[in-house]
Amino acid sequence: MKFQHFSHHHKLIFREAYEKEYECAGCLDVINGPAYICEDEGFAMHKVCAAMPPQIQKDAFHPHPLKFKLVDIIVCDACRRFSANYIIYKCIYCEFNLDFKCAVAIINDENEIAKRDDEDLRRTTTPHFSHPHQLTRCKVSPMSELGENIFKTFWQSSKLKCVACKQEVQGTLSFICLPCKFLIHESCMNDMPMQVLSSPFHPHHILHPRPFFNAREQVRCYACGKKVNGFSFYCNTCDVDFHVSCAKYRTRATKHSCHPHNLLQLGKSIIKGISCHACGHKTCNDSIFSCRKCDFNVHPKCIPLPSSFEHKRHLHPLTLTSPFAEDDSRDYYCDMCETERNPEIHVYYCAECNYIAHIDCVLSEVLEPPEEMLLDPQRMEENFDDGSLGSEMILSVSFHPHPLIRNDDYEEETIFVCDRCEELCIGSRYSCKLCFFDLDNKCATSKDETQKVREVKTIVNHFSHPHLITRCILQTEPDFDLTCMACRQRLCGIIYACTYCSRFFLHEFCLKHIPEEVQSSFHPQHPLPIFPFPSESGPPCKACNEDVEGMLFFCVACNFPMHYSCAKYQFREIKHNCHADHHLLHLGKGFFGDESPQCDACGEACKDTLFSCLKCLFYIHLECISLPSVVKHKRHLHPLVLTTLAFENDYEEYYCDTCETQRNPEHDIYYCKECNYISHIDCVLSEVEPPEKIIQCLIPRSKGN
């Protein structure tokens, strides 16, 4: 038995569905039993769910008719749950929504709604200083696999997190603004202060709340470096933003000779993704010492700290230990200064007395470790678990105060920027484990004292990439082949590189001129905003069909991803009988790069100019399409010759003399040498103004030649 459901374009077959084989597109529950199924696309519905009509009306429950809508995220007005649904029912006159389960309950029995309702979930909307719109109280329901996929499509995230504490909100009472994707725990909203008087990350100024609404710029937290969504605490004097959790974070400052500034002790909730500058490990499971001004981070085990210490304030020796929380209390205190402490950071501890003290309290009266301790290779070896530094070469140079340790990273192909010659290098280097300083082998062993070491690195936080990128120089012929993430051309000269993920590179010119969104000729319906991501490869570009790496321009509404170079590419269209269904795009050799498609006529690679229908993946050479090579046109006195030569005016700009608009210099043109007259191909072959006479045609390529 076949059945046509209003929510699916194929007919459904009624058969037995086995456990965990399908999820119902209506109620989103796992189907175990008879169901209506489309095997081609994995679509399935329970029999009772498939029986739901496309429109319902229950005047006693809601005065207006409710019509179905596909794929949406709502707060149900019956049960007040936030959920992602494949089918919802929406009022055609007002902002009233029902999830599918509540709609089924209303059809069967209005009293069934009470079974899904929650006494704590009263219909509540309220204003709050953290957001410019009214917030709706709801409960976040656990999602099925189908619901999670729908949520990822709309929310562009895999997890629902509170803008205040950054923790997940599933199963909790929360307040939400759906259009802005703003979500906050009810407890966080009630406990949020109107201002932060003294944040340890910014103690000199008061931080005031700043709500974001449709903010196009990427705002990053000054404390943890992560992107701020929806709301922040802000210092207007210093122009810095903080997450709510970071602004209120409890920490301690410690002075140490490994760094000129005070180091803050940070725990695992704030240091995700931060790497230690001593051991290089990017995963810090315990805590770190950090200078946020210099972005300097180091593990407690990687700097000279006493592992055991006798203090006059306590009878027994104190031992440095990992973050420590008492089992019998939720309040954590330092027994030395008798103030509250953060259970995420290292402490000095006496197991015999259960005595706990801040690191800075214990070391406040102790002299800093002597400089010789930092230069001792044996001491540095002890700072690593595997002791690998014991066999490494340690170098001392006159222009840097700390020892430089030889690292051989040929296998990992790690890139770095040499602080002496400023070149982008790969593989073996000498690096300082206590600060930002790297030398390539040539500069490390050079005896040229006249060569200066650059005083300041140019490191920028750019919207095109989630990590900091460094300005550097790339040799004309380096040992490794790299391309720009924007223009996809070979890199040389002054560039910007991400040394963290070792895969992101931009020409300096591209970095200065790349926009945050592109209005593309390939997708004129909507602008394409930029989506930076650190993964090696992304979805295929809708224009060239190659995987997008490092930087994506993407229309969420249409699921339309593109390279930047493709998104801004300017093309022309012609109508030709060799492909009557669609117009053909005139594309140049720079569009596809090294991956040239094959011509559908002769089978050879299209390495120069070509005509293409991207919808059908149809490609054809200029020579393989029936085009005239010499024509006479009424818009010009002399014959026009089809040529690949590019001509420019005195201002290095390229124009068509027929339509008087700018042209792409990669495209072939019709040209009169006598008058220096240049025209687009489609202008000469226009259906409105066709050529008067075709004097000569191109000789097409033969297959296999």
Side-chain angles (χ1 to χ4, degrees):
M1 181 175 64
K2 292 187 177 181
F3 172 69
Q4 183 67 60
H5 194 263
F6 60 82
S7 67
H8 194 67
H9 52 282
H10 294 155
K11 287 189 176 181
L12 308 178
I13 300 174
F14 190 69
R15 72 164 177 83
E16 190 79 13
Y18 300 102
E19 187 176 1
K20 297 183 180 179
E21 185 181 7
Y22 293 102
E23 285 184 8
C24 176
C27 65
L28 304 182
D29 290 338
V30 175
I31 298 176
N32 186 16
Y36 287 100
I37 296 171
C38 173
E39 294 180 347
D40 293 339
E41 298 188 9
F43 181 90
M45 293 189 77
H46 290 112
K47 184 177 180 180
V48 65
C49 294
M52 287 290 290
Q55 182 170 307
I56 61 176
Q57 184 163 7
K58 283 274 187 173
D59 293 337
F61 184 79
H62 188 71
H64 306 145
L66 304 175
K67 189 176 181 180
F68 85 95
K69 182 184 177 185
L70 298 181
V71 188
D72 206 352
I73 297 178
I74 63 167
V75 175
C76 177
D77 284 284
C79 65
R80 272 81 73 182
R81 281 173 168 78
F82 170 87
S83 58
N85 300 263
Y86 182 75
I87 303 174
I88 68 161
Y89 284 87
K90 186 177 184 65
C91 179
I92 62 176
Y93 296 115
C94 63
E95 296 297 323
F96 185 88
N97 300 294
L98 283 183
D99 65 25
F100 192 85
K101 286 186 176 181
C102 285
V104 172
I106 290 172
I107 288 290
N108 295 330
D109 183 0
E110 292 177 17
N111 295 326
E112 290 292 319
I113 286 288
K115 296 180 180 179
R116 299 199 70 223
D117 207 347
D118 194 315
E119 294 181 0
D120 293 333
L121 285 175
R122 299 178 300 277
R123 176 67 177 177
T124 305
T125 58
T126 182
H128 193 260
F129 64 83
S130 63
H131 193 69
H133 304 141
Q134 291 274 340
L135 300 177
T136 302
R137 193 168 183 256
C138 65
K139 189 168 185 176
V140 181
S141 300
M143 295 186 188
S144 65
E145 183 177 350
L146 178 59
E148 287 180 353
N149 293 334
I150 295 171
F151 165 72
K152 290 177 185 178
T153 302
F154 279 83
W155 213 270
Q156 296 146 32
S157 174
S158 58
K159 294 180 180 179
L160 282 163
K161 291 186 177 181
C162 171
V163 298
C165 66
K166 297 189 290 183
Q167 302 300 313
E168 291 189 41
V169 297
Q170 186 167 298
T172 62
L173 293 175
S174 304
F175 279 84
I176 190 170
C177 175
L178 266 176
C180 303
K181 301 175 183 176
F182 181 93
L183 191 59
I184 185 171
H185 286 121
E186 183 177 40
S187 57
C188 292
M189 191 176 80
N190 294 336
D191 296 339
M192 187 182 294
M194 288 292 292
Q195 60 184 13
V196 176
L197 299 178
S198 182
S199 171
F201 295 102
H202 202 68
H204 307 298
H205 301 124
I206 297 175
L207 302 178
H208 298 280
R210 178 162 79 141
F212 296 101
F213 173 57
N214 289 344
R216 293 177 59 186
E217 72 278 3
Q218 275 202 3
V219 178
R220 294 195 175 274
C221 175
Y222 181 74
C224 67
K226 302 295 188 300
K227 184 179 176 181
V228 179
N229 290 313
F231 176 79
S232 74
F233 278 100
Y234 179 68
C235 175
N236 187 56
T237 305
C238 304
D239 191 26
V240 291
D241 291 85
F242 295 86
H243 291 115
V244 177
S245 56
C246 294
K248 301 192 301 178
Y249 191 82
R250 295 194 309 274
T251 184
R252 307 283 292 189
T254 302
K255 183 68 177 174
H256 198 278
S257 62
C258 71
H259 193 74
H261 305 134
N262 284 337
L263 299 176
L264 298 176
Q265 298 176 59
L266 306 180
K268 60 183 178 181
S269 67
I270 203 171
I271 62 174
K272 293 179 180 178
I274 295 179
S275 59
C276 172
H277 285 87
C279 66
H281 294 167
K282 295 181 180 179
T283 303
C284 302
N285 294 322
D286 292 332
S287 66
I288 61 170
F289 286 92
S290 176
C291 174
R292 305 316 296 143
K293 184 184 295 184
C294 305
D295 198 20
F296 172 83
N297 310 289
V298 64
H299 290 125
K301 67 178 181 181
C302 295
I303 59 174
L305 285 177
S307 59
S308 183
F309 189 78
E310 292 187 2
H311 198 275
K312 63 182 181 182
R313 297 282 298 273
H314 191 68
L315 181 63
H316 308 117
L318 302 174
T319 303
L320 184 65
T321 186
S322 296
F324 187 92
E326 299 93 334
D327 296 330
D328 57 348
S329 174
R330 291 189 177 181
D331 296 324
Y332 308 103
Y333 285 90
C334 169
D335 293 311
M336 191 167 288
C337 65
E338 298 182 351
T339 61
E340 197 170 1
R341 66 178 179 85
N342 189 335
E344 289 190 341
I345 61 179
H346 278 68
V347 292
Y348 276 101
Y349 175 61
C350 173
E352 191 169 345
C353 307
N354 198 28
Y355 185 90
I356 304 171
H358 290 121
I359 290 178
D360 56 300
C361 289
V362 173
L363 301 182
S364 61
E365 301 175 14
V366 181
L367 293 176
E368 295 180 8
E371 192 67 22
E372 292 78 11
M373 198 174 220
L374 293 177
L375 299 176
D376 182 8
Q378 183 178 358
R379 174 59 183 171
M380 297 191 74
E381 180 181 347
E382 291 173 357
N383 291 336
F384 292 82
D385 293 335
D386 56 4
S388 59
L389 289 183
S391 60
E392 298 288 347
M393 179 179 176
I394 299 179
L395 179 72
S396 295
V397 291
S398 59
F399 47 82
H400 191 71
H402 304 145
L404 303 177
I405 301 172
R406 174 72 174 269
N407 290 317
D408 292 312
D409 292 324
Y410 288 112
E411 294 182 358
E412 297 181 6
E413 296 186 349
T414 304
I415 68 166
F416 65 96
V417 178
C418 176
D419 282 281
R420 201 168 189 189
C421 65
E422 300 185 47
E423 288 186 6
L424 183 69
C425 308
I426 188 170
S428 179
R429 70 189 187 277
Y430 286 86
S431 60
C432 178
K433 297 300 181 182
L434 297 174
C435 61
F436 289 106
F437 196 83
D438 295 289
L439 292 180
D440 60 26
N441 292 336
K442 179 182 67 176
C443 293
T445 56
S446 173
K447 297 181 180 180
D448 184 7
E449 297 295 334
T450 62
Q451 185 180 359
K452 294 183 179 179
V453 179
R454 64 173 177 178
E455 296 180 358
V456 180
K457 285 183 181 179
T458 303
I459 302 176
V460 300
N461 184 6
H462 196 256
F463 60 81
S464 63
H465 192 64
H467 308 139
L468 295 174
I469 51 179
T470 306
R471 188 177 186 266
C472 56
I473 301 171
L474 188 63
Q475 299 175 9
T476 306
E477 296 182 359
D479 296 333
F480 45 98
D481 188 17
L482 302 174
T483 55
C484 174
M485 288 295 179
C487 66
R488 299 165 70 199
Q489 301 300 313
R490 186 176 173 85
L491 292 165
C492 64
I494 298 176
I495 67 168
Y496 281 79
C498 175
T499 57
Y500 181 83
C501 63
S502 302
R503 291 188 299 268
F504 187 86
F505 309 94
L506 283 177
H507 289 114
E508 185 175 44
F509 176 85
C510 293
L511 178 132
K512 291 181 179 178
H513 293 88
I514 190 170
E516 292 188 51
E517 69 176 25
V518 175
Q519 190 68 51
S520 176
S521 303
F522 288 102
H523 191 69
Q525 302 94 318
H526 308 112
L528 304 174
I530 190 171
F531 281 79
F533 62 98
S535 60
E536 293 186 12
S537 62
C541 173
K542 289 291 187 180
C544 68
N545 210 35
E546 295 179 23
D547 288 346
V548 183
E549 296 182 3
M551 186 168 58
L552 173 73
F553 282 81
F554 186 64
C555 175
V556 177
C558 304
N559 190 26
F560 199 92
M562 292 192 76
H563 291 108
Y564 170 64
S565 57
C566 295
K568 71 180 185 68
Y569 191 86
Q570 298 301 314
F571 59 84
R572 304 285 294 188
E573 292 183 342
I574 68 166
K575 184 69 176 174
H576 198 276
N577 57 11
C578 74
H579 190 74
D581 294 337
H582 306 113
H583 282 79
L584 297 176
L585 309 183
H586 191 187
L587 305 176
K589 62 182 179 181
F591 182 76
F592 288 98
D594 297 332
E595 300 293 330
S596 301
Q598 282 189 336
C599 174
D600 283 69
C602 68
E604 293 186 3
C606 301
K607 294 182 179 179
D608 295 318
T609 187
L610 72 152
F611 289 90
S612 172
C613 174
L614 297 177
K615 291 182 180 178
C616 306
L617 298 180
F618 174 83
Y619 309 102
I620 190 166
H621 284 119
L622 179 74
E623 301 94 330
C624 296
I625 193 171
S626 301
L627 287 181
S629 59
V630 183
V631 300
K632 177 66 181 69
H633 199 275
K634 65 180 181 180
R635 298 289 294 271
H636 191 67
L637 180 64
H638 307 118
L640 300 175
V641 179
L642 186 63
T643 180
T644 58
L645 298 176
F647 300 90
E648 64 188 17
N649 60 21
D650 295 336
Y651 301 99
E652 296 185 354
E653 295 177 339
Y654 303 87
Y655 284 92
C656 170
D657 293 312
T658 301
C659 64
E660 298 181 350
T661 61
Q662 201 165 3
R663 64 183 177 84
N664 190 329
E666 286 191 338
H667 292 172
D668 302 273
I669 54 173
Y670 278 104
Y671 176 58
C672 173
K673 185 176 181 180
E674 189 172 347
C675 307
N676 197 29
Y677 185 91
I678 303 169
S679 179
H680 289 121
I681 289 180
D682 57 296
C683 289
V684 172
L685 304 181
S686 169
E687 295 179 5
V688 180
E689 290 185 294
E692 291 180 346
K693 182 180 179 182
I694 297 175
I695 301 173
Q696 184 177 331
C697 286
L698 284 176
I699 300 175
R701 296 188 181 199
S702 58
K703 291 187 177 182
N705 293 334

